[in-house]
Amino acid sequence: MKLNELTIKEAQEGLRNKKFTSVELTKACLDRIKERNVELNAFITVCEETALKEAQNADEMLVEGKIFPLTGIPFAVKDAICTAGVRSTGAAKVLDNYIPPYDATVIKKIREQGGVLLGKNNCDAFGHGASNENSMYGPVKNPINLDKVAGGSSGGSAAAVADNMCIFAIAEDTGGSIRQPASFCGIVGMRPSYGRNSRFGIMPMASSFDTVGPMTKTVEDMAIVMQEIAGKDALDATTVPDLVPTYNDEMKKDLTGLRVGVPQEYFEAEGMDSEVRDVVEKQIKNLEKRGAEIIYLSMPLTKYAIAVYYVLVPSEVSSNFGRLDGIRYGMRADAKDLFDVYSKSRASGFPEEVKRRILIGTYALSSGYYEAYYKKAQQVRTLICRDFDRVFSDVDVLVTPTSPFAAFGLGEKSADPLQLYLADIFVSPAASAGIPAISVPAGETKSGLPIGLQIMGPKLSEGLIMSVANNIKK
Ligand code: GLN
C-alpha cells in the first residue's frame, strides 16, 4: 500500500513506530497530487514547499516526543476557509490574490499540533452549488468516473480524499456541501451541529447555516479529527460551551436497542433512483440485524426544506457578501469612480450563481417582500426544527439516503439552477435545523458509482451518529 493511501489511524501508527517520516508521507501525497490534479482539478493551490517544511517540523516534533493526534498528517482545506499565508480564493476571482493573515480556528488547531497543510481545494464559489461546476477555476471531476461531477460544493475536498491526494480534508457544509460530495465520491463526511466547531475564519456564506467539518476515509478518522477541532471558541460567539465527548469511545458503542427512524418522505422524492433506495433499504435491514429497532415514520415538512433554504440562504448571502466590494479584500477591477469599482469588481469577480443568490436575497429582504418571503421562510424553518424535535422524542437517529441519486454527468444539470437546488432535498433539512448529519459509503450503483447513506441525530449527537455510521459496511 502506498503511503498516501493510508488512513489517519494507520499514518499515526506508522509515524510513531518510525516506519516512515512525515516528509515521506507528505511527498507521497504531493506526488499523487502532481499525477492526478491536472485531470481532477481538486486543488486550486498546492503548497509544495511549505508543506515539506511543515513535515520536517513535524518530524522534529515526533523525535522530541511532542506527539499529538494529527502531528505529521498531511491534509487539505476547502478554499472557502482562511489559511494563514496561503492564498484563499473561495473559488471566486474576486479573491484571486487574497492571502489571509490568519488561520480559521479549526485550521489553527490542526496546524499547531503539526498537521501538514498540502493545499487548498477547489469548490463551488463560496460554497454556492451542488456539483462543483460553479467554481471560477473550472469544475472538479469525480475520481471514480471522470465524466461525472464530484458533487458540491466541497467537490475538490471529496475528490482529494477519495483519490488519496491527502489523508483527510476540512470543508464547510451550509446545506449539504460536505455530505453530498462525500456521498458522490465514496468517502465519509460530517456536518457537525451548528455551534460545535468554530466558524471563525470560514468565508461566511449563510451565517446561521454554516458549519465546518472533516472529510475522511473512515468513520474512525472522522472521530479523530472531530476530537481535535471541536469546542468553544472565544472568537465565535455561536460556539456552544458543552464539553466535547470522547468520540472514539462513543463511535464504538453498539446498536442494541437503538431506535432508528426511517422517514418515508426521504424515499419518495421526485427523481429518486431505485438503486439508491435499494442500497439504503438493505443497510437499514442490516442495522436491524445488529440490534437496532427500526421505526418507520413521516416528516411531512421535508418537502418545504429546499424552499426555506433557498430563501433564507440567499438572504444571508446578500448581506454577507457586501464586504466583497473590490476595496477591502482581493481583486479590484480597473474603474473610473467608486460605483464603477463596486460594479466592475463584482461583475468580473463573482460567477453567475453568486450573483443570482445576491439578487434573490436582496429581493427577499426588500421592503414589501420581506414579510412574504424572508419572514415566512423563517417561520417554516421553525416548524422544520420542531418536526425534528418531535421525531427525536420517539427515535434516537434518522437514516436516509444522502442524495436521491449517485453522481450525475458533468454539464447535465448546470444549465438549470433549479435542478441543482433540488439535488439538496435530503441534505437541506438538517442544515435548517442545525443538527448533525453524517454521510457514509453504503454501496454502489451497477455502474460502480458510490451511494451514500445519511444519519441525522439531535443536536450534539455527533458521537451517536458516528457509532451508527461505523456499523454501515459496504
Ligand atoms: N447545494 C448547497 C447550495 O448550493 C450547498 C451549500 C453548502 O453547503 N455550502 O447552497
Side-chain angles (χ1 to χ4, degrees), residues 57-348:
N57 271 345
D59 281 331
E60 280 162 30
M61 288 173 72
L62 290 161
V63 169
E64 290 161 15
K66 291 187 202 143
I67 307 173
F68 304 95
L70 299 173
T71 309
I73 312 282
F75 72 111
V77 176
K78 183 177 185 175
D79 215 19
I81 299 178
C82 290
T83 42
V86 177
R87 182 169 80 129
S88 302
T89 69
K93 294 283 178 185
V94 72
L95 292 184
D96 189 51
N97 59 8
Y98 175 57
I99 299 178
Y102 60 89
D103 274 322
T105 297
V106 290
I107 305 304
K108 189 163 174 244
K109 287 183 171 182
I110 297 171
R111 292 178 94 181
E112 271 175 0
Q113 53 171 272
V116 175
L117 178 63
L118 289 167
K120 302 301 294 290
N121 290 130
N122 201 349
C123 55
D124 286 300
F126 300 119
H128 300 185
S131 64
N132 215 131
E133 294 169 293
N134 294 333
S135 164
M136 291 178 97
Y137 296 82
V140 175
K141 291 185 185 164
N142 191 312
I144 288 108
N145 178 334
L146 298 176
D147 297 327
K148 305 286 180 188
V149 301
S153 64
S154 314
S157 306
V161 174
D163 202 56
N164 296 308
M165 296 162 127
C166 58
I167 308 299
F168 74 96
I170 296 292
E172 164 275 337
D173 187 307
T174 300
S177 280
I178 288 180
R179 291 162 285 155
Q180 187 252 29
S183 153
F184 281 13
C185 292
I187 61 160
V188 182
M190 183 164 75
R191 168 201 174 81
S193 313
Y194 186 79
R196 179 72 293 182
N197 294 346
S198 169
R199 287 181 296 115
F200 177 77
I202 311 308
M203 292 178 192
M205 177 177 161
S207 306
S208 78
F209 290 77
D210 296 346
T211 58
V212 193
M215 301 181 85
T216 58
K217 298 174 188 176
T218 63
V219 178
E220 189 175 38
D221 280 5
M222 176 62 65
I224 295 173
V225 185
M226 273 301 292
Q227 198 70 48
E228 301 314 305
I229 63 175
K232 176 96 189 133
D233 179 14
L235 297 172
D236 174 2
T238 63
T239 47
V240 295
D242 305 55
L243 274 185
V244 179
T246 307
Y247 290 126
N248 192 46
D249 293 346
E250 298 214 338
M251 180 208 88
K252 289 187 178 137
K253 289 194 179 141
D254 76 23
L255 302 183
T256 315
L258 189 83
R259 298 167 304 166
V260 172
V262 179
Q264 66 180 63
E265 287 78 6
Y266 285 73
F267 293 79
E268 292 167 356
E270 211 185 294
M272 181 82 204
D273 183 332
S274 60
E275 285 189 273
V276 173
R277 188 189 297 123
D278 293 348
V279 161
V280 175
E281 281 174 351
K282 200 170 127 217
Q283 290 288 0
I284 291 170
K285 296 231 160 67
N286 285 342
L287 292 176
E288 194 168 23
K289 281 187 206 136
R290 287 166 184 258
E293 180 192 349
I294 309 298
I295 299 166
Y296 294 90
L297 47 85
S298 169
M299 298 189 73
L301 296 176
T302 306
K303 62 174 182 286
Y304 301 118
I306 289 187
V308 165
Y309 180 89
Y310 279 101
V311 172
L312 295 182
V313 168
S315 299
E316 293 189 27
V317 161
S318 73
S319 160
N320 270 332
F321 282 59
R323 79 192 72 198
L324 295 171
D325 54 7
I327 293 173
R328 280 168 281 198
Y329 310 88
M331 175 207 85
R332 177 179 308 170
D334 259 351
K336 59 181 189 314
D337 57 30
L338 182 64
F339 183 80
D340 219 30
V341 170
Y342 291 153
S343 67
K344 285 203 176 128
S345 303
R346 287 173 172 159
S348 58

